[in-house]
Amino acid sequence: MPRRRTSSSASSTAPSAAPRNRTPQPVRVRRRSFGDFVKAFLAFVVLLVLVVGVPLALATQIGWPLPDGAPGLDWLQREITVKTFLNILTVVVWFAWAQFTACVLVEVKAALSGVGVPGRVPGSGPSQLLARQLVAALLLVGATAASLTPGLSQLGQSMEGNQKPSVAAAQQTPGIFAQQQEQAAGTASALAEQAGQAAARADGGSAAHGDTKYYRIQPPEGRHHDSLWEIADRHLGDGRRYKEIFELNKDRVQPDGSKLSEASLIRPGWIMEMPGDARGGELVEMPDEAPNVSEQVRQQISDYARTGDHAQGGGGSGAQGGGSGAHGGGGDNAQVSLPDQRPAPATPATPATPAPSAGQEHAAPAAADHSFGLPEALLTAPLLAAGLLGALGRRRRQALWQSALGSVGGRRGMEPPTPTGDAQDVQDALLVGADPEGVRLLDRALRGLAAALTAESRPLPVVYAAWMGGNGDLHLQLAQPAGKPPAPWQLGQDQTFWMLARADAERYEDADTAAPYPGLVSLGTMDDSRLLLNLESVPGIVSLGGTEADRTAVFASVAAELATNGWSDRMTITLVGFGEDLTPLAPNRIRHLDGFEDLFETMSAETRQRRGALGAAGHDSVLTGRTGPAQHTRWAPHLVLLATQPSDEDALRLAELAADAGRLGIGYLVGTEGTDLPGAAWEMRITGEGKLLAPLLGLELEAQTLPAAQRRAVVELFTDADPEHGPGGSDGPGGASGTANTPPFLVDISEQGRPAVYARLVGSYEIIGLDAPDDDRSALLHEALALLLLHREGVHPRVLSSALWPRGVTADVRDALLERLRAWLGTDPDGTPRLTTDATGRLTLAKSVVSDLDVLRSLYYEATQGRGVGSRQVRGRLLTDALVLVRGPLLADRPEGRYRWLTHEIIDAQLPLLVADTGLALSEFHLEKDRAEKAIEALNAALRTAPADERLWHELLRATHATGDPDRLRALAADLVGRSGARGVPPRTEALLDELLPTWRDGVAAAG
């Protein structure tokens, strides 16, 4: 797991140190005063009087106000006396007491549990507000009083005998989800001043030797973990003084060999030096004065004490920037040591940094290279880019097939429009930034885990987040310990982390199981690790503060990745207040609502439905419905993204609605304008510099965003790929005209247009007109030329380098290859280079360099929309010449492991359709003159490249029927039925067989 950078790791004057989106107000940090105890005592007296005194007084002074028996009709005719009035008033007081007591119980439960917001007692109003204030005053000194309870012997017994120096982290994200909202609000207002005070105390060095106290981190009890906040609250009187403890102990070696580098990550068994004014029974002043502490622990404290002078003798704590070596950062910024806080299977005492795999050592320089104008937001979002690129490819393939089936021979929209401007830059950024291999490994790892747990009859654990390391390892952060993970998964840094090494993930095969955690979505990166939050499992709301533009950029990134990711099966994404234009990305997943009332009505109904469905199915959560025999797609998540802050009343309604959302598979991400949001389990803030901050969680990420310009360009790519809405989608009958049908590059097919360099791509790869390059560079040069030939509009240098070197390469290596490619291609007779750079910086080939695919497209275009339209003889010759060029699939002999960029292309879908259209047109040409054999020959030639095209089989049946040979037709029908396999004959083919050969079913039955 990556290090977590708290606000203490930045300068005390840095604006980013302030949590949330509010202006820090100076707050005097103090311990609990005598006045606090007086207020707590008075609150206790008032509560005692109202909760206990009122019913006692009513019972003893007035008695039971209701009649002893059932009242008769004469009771209504009696005179109203003073006693009657007092009895009625007493009943009202009893009801008021019961309501106030219920309010007190609700507020006490909420304050002690620290989870969610207090429930509303119907009709309470001011009564609940009074109860909340009294309970808050009473609990104001609760933590201080509790700190006096533990005895000194607990320090020696906590780790002795059952635990050696532990490697478990004491406070992880799941523990932080349960922090009380009052603590969060207090911390937010004090952090700015507190950073300066902590630094000032650190300047003064440690306390005098006689005043030095130590505290040993306690092991977790159930789901409760020790934290610096609670330690400061118990022993310093104010949890906001946790920074003082952090500064005294930062970067000092602990008994297990690791170091404290983040305030949010401490481990049981660690020793903390405390400020001189610390108090409480769990503290140890000096080892010699702690007779109840074991000898081993005293020795550890003594050894740790000796590191204090060494750690601060160089001019203050690490926050002063005076350190040297690995932690010396200069300035006022505290440096964070890396692998100590990273979950890894290695022993934390000797943390091992994974060595880069082959080819990855060049990735960093390439990433630092200039982006050439490509949007950085997509270059640095590999999972988002891979999802968008895959979804775009599927949309374009779908459009191709719809066009082919909708217009035989017309090829309506068969040539997708070439993106320009921002859309072209975004498409290039997707090609460069996409990491489809990472998506594939993540999907297989999660499904493999679900399959393994199902085989062991174990439920899926609740996962709050996942970390994808730069070395490819995957770390799942669990809500609570779930035992030993199934192999090859391993325990991470503690019982709440499961880890899978990349090498083990690569051995996973596709598992036939439901996606276990479809709600995972990328939020950003910390160093070389990427954080994915499981939105559907967070117990409450995730809030996001910041300016509207910055928030919307994060929301758009989250929505786009959820809509197109490759590790989920089904889900519903509801967008409120933004993102109506994002619907084209995934019309089946995304829906847009106008306002909060529509959202509340929709989600209230779905929440009730899911509760009822879970109860009827006997599941405690949606996770149990995704494993075992009960797998069902109805447990798909529903994720709500509310970009605008709701009103106070709406926020409370939303908090109540989200209280049980984690169990139901419903997640809420809500935008705020800087104020506290009720029910927020995880509070984040996006800064103008692109930092995603969660100070109370110790997170400072490089946020993953999709700014407005890139969002519009992405939507444009998807819209243009839609055959119904894109250019040329409805250009008249058949779509036979329009720019959408014009090939991107037309070749002069006359004798005078003979090219200087001719490459055969359809079939085996051959190049005519160039000398063979050096053996060690031949493969790269051939692949680069093939990429350029398939993109006559131009190829961005970053796209070319990412295609040839998927793991990254330095700029000088890329530029050297381009120079060799220019030299290999040479120049035309007039001296013009055959490889040039256009005005946008993209690499383009001269018209004298062509491929057989260019010629095939040009021949078909001329036959169907050019010269062949007015001359039947010319059309037949052009179609025949085009079909002769087809020698097999595209780049049939490409070596294994290369040309992986073809998976992002649609040429593998375009080429079979182009060949099929050519065969169909030539067949029609021959059948017009009753040349059935010639038509059959053309159709068989096309079927060798497009064997799955149903249109070719239909025309082949008609052409065979035209020969008048029923035996030949029956043989073809039997062959077609055999090819259909278990799926059976398609309905259209079956109808055609019934028309041409009514007895074909008898032949199938006889063969069966």
Side-chain angles (χ1 to χ4, degrees):
M1 179 177 174
R3 66 187 188 218
R4 299 186 176 184
R5 189 177 291 118
T6 63
S7 54
S8 64
S9 64
S11 170
S12 61
T13 61
S16 62
R20 301 189 185 95
N21 190 25
R22 63 171 65 183
T23 304
Q25 300 294 328
V27 177
R28 182 171 61 88
V29 181
R30 59 181 178 82
R31 300 187 300 272
R32 299 288 186 262
S33 63
F34 177 74
D36 295 332
F37 287 94
V38 173
K39 292 178 182 178
F41 176 74
L42 293 177
F44 174 76
V45 172
V46 172
L47 283 173
L48 188 65
V49 170
L50 293 178
V51 176
V52 180
V54 169
L56 288 178
L58 291 174
T60 58
Q61 300 300 322
I62 299 179
W64 187 247
L66 298 178
D68 297 333
L73 293 178
D74 59 338
W75 181 79
L76 299 176
Q77 300 174 356
R78 293 178 185 176
E79 181 182 359
I80 299 178
T81 63
V82 175
K83 183 178 180 181
T84 304
F85 178 77
L86 288 177
N87 287 339
I88 296 175
L89 183 61
T90 302
V91 172
V92 173
V93 174
W94 271 108
F95 275 113
W97 170 84
Q99 183 188 59
F100 179 77
T101 303
C103 293
V104 171
L105 295 177
V106 169
E107 294 296 330
V108 169
K109 178 180 181 297
L112 293 179
S113 65
V115 179
V117 294
R120 289 192 301 173
V121 178
S124 59
S127 298
Q128 187 163 3
L129 179 61
L130 175 62
R132 183 176 305 168
Q133 294 173 342
L134 292 174
V135 170
L138 178 62
L139 298 179
L140 181 66
V141 295
T144 304
S147 67
L148 302 176
T149 303
L152 182 63
S153 59
Q154 183 181 355
L155 178 64
Q157 297 172 356
S158 62
M159 301 292 291
E160 189 69 19
N162 58 358
Q163 289 188 17
K164 295 299 179 184
S166 174
V167 302
Q171 181 183 7
Q172 304 295 348
T173 302
I176 301 177
F177 276 113
Q179 288 188 0
Q180 296 183 13
Q181 296 301 316
E182 289 82 3
Q183 293 177 343
T187 304
S189 62
L191 276 179
E193 179 186 0
Q194 194 65 16
Q197 292 182 352
R201 289 188 180 94
D203 283 335
S206 59
H209 184 76
D211 295 334
T212 303
K213 299 180 178 65
Y214 296 91
Y215 175 84
R216 187 176 175 86
I217 304 300
Q218 302 300 302
E221 296 181 4
R223 295 186 61 180
H224 173 75
H225 296 261
D226 221 343
S227 68
L228 291 186
W229 177 284
E230 294 178 348
I231 295 170
D233 194 36
R234 291 197 303 268
H235 301 295
L236 298 177
D238 193 332
R240 291 170 289 187
R241 293 184 63 186
Y242 76 94
K243 287 196 171 191
E244 299 178 45
I245 306 174
F246 172 75
E247 295 298 339
L248 287 174
N249 297 275
K250 190 178 77 70
D251 293 338
R252 294 170 64 178
V253 179
Q254 293 291 336
D256 62 358
S258 54
K259 299 177 182 179
L260 172 67
S261 58
E262 292 298 333
S264 60
L265 291 177
I266 57 177
R267 302 178 181 178
W270 278 9
I271 298 167
M272 296 289 111
E273 181 179 341
M274 303 291 290
D277 61 340
R279 62 190 183 278
E282 296 171 311
L283 299 178
V284 175
E285 292 192 357
M286 287 304 293
D288 296 339
E289 303 172 9
N292 294 329
V293 178
S294 68
E295 181 63 29
Q296 179 186 8
V297 174
R298 282 189 295 183
Q299 183 62 41
Q300 290 176 355
I301 296 177
S302 179
D303 295 341
Y304 188 77
R306 287 194 293 270
T307 66
D309 295 336
H310 170 72
Q312 300 185 12
S317 67
Q320 305 305 313
S324 60
H327 304 291
D332 293 332
N333 293 329
Q335 300 298 313
V336 182
S337 60
L338 257 174
D340 292 342
Q341 302 299 338
R342 192 183 301 275
T347 303
T350 57
T353 302
S357 59
Q360 286 185 322
E361 62 272 15
H362 301 300
D369 190 17
H370 194 268
S371 63
F372 289 98
L374 298 183
E376 291 286 350
L378 292 171
L379 291 176
T380 56
L383 303 184
L384 170 61
L388 289 172
L389 199 59
L392 182 61
R394 291 189 295 271
R395 180 67 54 82
R396 286 174 172 172
R397 286 177 173 83
Q398 181 183 11
L400 287 176
W401 282 106
Q402 288 178 355
S403 299
L405 295 176
S407 178
V408 176
R411 298 184 73 244
R412 177 182 59 189
M414 294 297 288
E415 300 293 346
T418 301
T420 59
D422 289 343
Q424 187 178 18
D425 290 339
V426 162
Q427 178 174 275
D428 288 342
L430 294 178
L431 291 168
V432 174
D435 182 16
E437 181 68 13
V439 172
R440 184 182 68 86
L441 291 178
L442 175 62
D443 181 48
R444 286 188 173 183
L446 296 178
R447 293 181 193 267
L449 174 63
L453 290 172
T454 300
E456 298 178 5
S457 299
R458 295 172 59 186
L460 283 169
V462 177
V463 170
Y464 279 152
W467 290 91
M468 293 187 68
N471 58 355
D473 294 348
L474 176 63
H475 307 269
L476 297 183
Q477 190 168 351
L478 313 184
Q480 57 187 359
K484 183 180 179 180
W489 290 78
Q490 308 172 25
L491 285 176
Q493 66 186 38
D494 67 9
Q495 296 290 327
T496 61
F497 276 88
W498 286 2
M499 191 274 290
L500 180 68
R502 181 186 179 94
D504 294 327
E506 290 174 344
R507 289 194 287 268
Y508 264 120
E509 300 292 338
D510 292 331
D512 185 17
T513 185
Y517 304 112
L520 285 170
V521 64
S522 304
L523 291 184
T525 58
M526 183 181 291
D527 301 318
D528 61 344
S529 296
R530 181 169 302 277
L531 171 65
L532 291 87
L533 175 66
N534 191 7
L535 281 178
E536 66 166 336
S537 70
V538 176
I541 298 172
V542 179
S543 67
L544 177 67
T547 64
E548 182 177 1
D550 293 333
R551 294 199 316 264
T552 304
V554 175
F555 274 95
S557 170
V558 170
E561 184 170 300
L562 289 173
T564 61
N565 71 51
W567 54 88
S568 61
D569 299 322
R570 293 179 62 246
M571 69 169 59
T572 301
I573 307 162
T574 297
L575 309 181
V576 185
F578 86 107
E580 189 171 5
D581 58 333
L582 292 175
T583 305
L585 270 61
N588 295 329
R589 285 191 178 187
I590 296 179
R591 67 178 178 181
H592 181 269
L593 297 180
D594 293 329
F596 181 81
E597 288 302 326
D598 293 338
L599 172 66
F600 187 77
E601 179 181 355
T602 300
M603 297 313 299
S604 296
E606 179 158 349
T607 299
R608 290 192 299 269
Q609 186 272 335
R610 290 204 175 206
R611 284 190 183 130
L614 283 177
H619 301 319
D620 56 349
S621 74
V622 296
L623 288 180
T624 56
R626 291 181 186 157
T627 56
Q631 291 183 19
H632 200 285
T633 55
R634 66 180 174 181
W635 309 125
H638 187 160
L639 305 175
V640 177
L641 309 183
L642 179 60
T644 56
Q645 178 172 336
S647 65
D648 293 342
E649 180 181 356
D650 290 340
L652 289 174
R653 295 167 67 191
L654 186 63
E656 294 177 355
L657 193 63
D660 198 27
R663 185 178 69 91
L664 304 176
I666 303 175
Y668 293 89
L669 179 60
V670 181
T672 65
E673 297 176 357
T675 58
D676 295 338
L677 187 68
W682 194 345
E683 295 178 326
M684 301 180 297
R685 172 174 166 258
I686 177 69
T687 69
E689 294 76 26
K691 299 286 187 181
L692 191 66
L693 306 179
L696 297 181
L697 306 179
L699 292 176
E700 181 178 333
L701 305 172
E702 294 291 338
Q704 178 173 297
T705 61
L706 188 60
Q710 283 77 57
R711 183 175 71 250
R712 289 192 295 268
V714 167
V715 173
E716 180 182 342
L717 289 174
F718 279 80
T719 303
D720 289 347
D722 191 333
E724 296 181 0
H725 303 94
S730 56
D731 295 337
S737 63
T739 57
N741 296 317
T742 304
F745 178 67
L746 287 173
V747 178
D748 184 359
I749 56 177
S750 65
E751 289 294 332
Q752 293 76 22
R754 190 175 299 275
V757 178
Y758 182 68
R760 293 178 175 175
L761 304 179
V762 184
S764 58
Y765 192 0
E766 300 177 17
I767 298 178
I768 301 172
L770 291 178
D771 296 331
D774 297 339
D775 291 339
D776 59 338
R777 304 184 183 97
S778 176
L780 284 173
L781 292 175
H782 278 74
E783 187 173 357
L785 179 57
L787 178 62
L788 291 167
L789 285 168
L790 293 177
H791 291 276
R792 303 303 305 221
E793 73 277 7
V795 177
H796 198 285
R798 290 287 298 273
V799 175
L800 180 67
S801 63
S802 65
L804 300 181
W805 295 281
R807 293 174 179 252
V809 71
T810 56
D812 55 342
V813 174
R814 179 195 63 210
D815 295 340
L817 177 74
L818 291 179
E819 289 303 319
R820 295 190 188 99
L821 184 58
R822 287 190 178 94
W824 182 43
L825 292 175
T827 60
D828 285 333
D830 60 357
T832 303
R834 291 171 181 157
L835 178 62
T836 58
T837 303
D838 65 10
T840 63
R842 289 173 172 81
L843 303 167
T844 59
L845 292 173
K847 292 184 177 181
S848 59
V849 182
V850 302
S851 69
D852 54 355
L853 183 60
D854 297 326
V855 177
L856 177 60
R857 285 169 167 165
S858 301
L859 287 170
Y860 180 83
Y861 176 80
E862 285 293 334
T864 57
Q865 301 182 51
R867 292 177 296 164
V869 175
S871 172
R872 185 177 186 281
Q873 182 180 3
V874 172
R875 183 170 72 254
R877 178 173 55 83
L878 293 175
L879 290 173
T880 302
D881 291 345
L883 206 55
V884 169
L885 292 176
V886 180
R887 300 175 299 118
L890 186 73
L891 297 168
D893 58 350
R894 57 180 180 257
E896 184 178 359
R898 304 207 67 87
Y899 297 87
R900 293 182 178 178
W901 46 271
L902 279 173
T903 58
H904 304 315
E905 307 284 343
I906 63 168
I907 184 60
D908 280 335
Q910 283 179 300
L911 179 59
L913 290 177
L914 175 59
V915 173
D917 286 343
T918 305
L920 291 171
L922 187 56
S923 172
E924 180 184 4
F925 171 82
H926 288 304
L927 288 177
E928 289 175 357
K929 295 297 183 178
D930 295 328
R931 294 197 291 262
E933 294 296 339
K934 288 288 186 180
I936 292 174
E937 182 181 347
L939 292 169
N940 283 327
L943 279 169
R944 285 193 288 268
T945 300
D949 198 310
E950 189 178 0
R951 300 172 302 159
L952 290 175
W953 288 103
H954 290 176
E955 291 304 309
L956 185 58
L957 286 171
R958 292 189 179 97
T960 305
H961 180 266
T963 62
D965 187 349
D967 293 335
R968 188 174 180 182
L969 183 58
R970 276 192 292 269
L972 178 61
D975 181 41
L976 185 56
V977 171
R979 290 174 180 268
S980 300
R983 295 176 300 176
V985 179
R988 291 184 181 181
T989 306
E990 185 175 354
L992 182 59
L993 284 172
D994 288 337
E995 176 187 349
L996 301 179
L997 187 65
T999 60
W1000 71 276
R1001 300 178 189 275
D1002 299 336
V1004 173

